[in-house]
Amino acid sequence: GHTCAILDNGDLKCWGGGGSGQLGTGNSYTNVFSPPATAIDLGTGRTAVAVSAGGYNTCAILDNGDLKCWGADDYGALGDGGTNTNTNTPTAIDLGTGRTAVAVSVGKFHTCTILDNGDMKCWGRDNQGQLGDGGTTNTNTNAGKTNRYLRCRSRILNPNQ
């Protein structure tokens, strides 16, 4: 397993098991036994506002609403439309034109995110209906299928209010 934490300045650090790239270090697929000195590179000027660490991959919502994921891509779990290739660097996920993420949850081999318009998109393994789309077909393209069965509400709390 692995653990991730967002620091008070928005930096993101992950440690623990890293054999699939889920720590996002960009330079190795090895275990890290304590929080690293260097934060994960989320892009110039970008910070994390939410993170979810699953079995073998990690996803973070950035301060601009973008979603980035990294780690194992078994069954399309990263949602990058790739070829089931693991990555140890954050990869931008296409949520659709003008869409941003407000919540994310990473499972063992699948991920779901709630978008700013209330839609939920899920991708990855679907052998037990994890994607909630009424089927059992794995998906890794265009950040999965929009779940038309659910309209979600996510509260974003401002700690300064």
Side-chain angles (χ1 to χ4, degrees):
H2 69 293
T3 302
C4 297
I6 300 173
L7 307 184
D8 58 2
N9 65 355
D11 282 353
L12 178 61
K13 295 184 178 189
C14 297
W15 60 96
S20 297
Q22 63 267 46
L23 302 182
T25 60
N27 59 9
S28 70
Y29 288 91
T30 59
N31 299 340
V32 175
F33 298 101
S34 63
T38 304
I40 295 169
D41 182 2
L42 299 172
T44 304
R46 298 276 65 102
T47 58
V49 297
V51 64
S52 182
Y56 303 100
N57 61 333
T58 306
C59 293
I61 299 174
L62 308 187
D63 58 309
N64 63 354
D66 285 353
L67 181 70
K68 291 193 174 185
C69 298
W70 57 95
D73 199 20
D74 300 334
Y75 308 101
L78 292 183
D80 62 358
T83 57
N84 295 335
T85 302
N86 298 354
T87 181
N88 61 10
T89 57
T91 301
I93 306 304
D94 179 4
L95 299 173
T97 304
R99 298 279 62 100
T100 59
V102 297
V104 64
S105 181
V106 177
K108 186 172 182 181
F109 295 116
H110 70 285
T111 300
C112 291
T113 186
I114 298 173
L115 305 181
D116 59 315
N117 65 353
D119 283 351
M120 181 177 76
K121 282 195 173 186
C122 297
W123 55 90
R125 192 171 191 185
D126 198 22
N127 65 316
Q128 297 175 333
Q130 303 92 304
L131 304 186
D133 61 4
T136 57
T137 303
N138 303 338
T139 183
N140 69 352
T141 57
N142 195 24
K145 307 170 193 172
T146 300
N147 188 318
R148 301 289 180 204
Y149 303 106
L150 297 174
R151 291 291 297 175
C152 302
R153 296 181 71 141
S154 178
R155 293 183 72 188
I156 300 174
L157 301 177
N158 181 343
N160 298 321
Q161 291 182 338

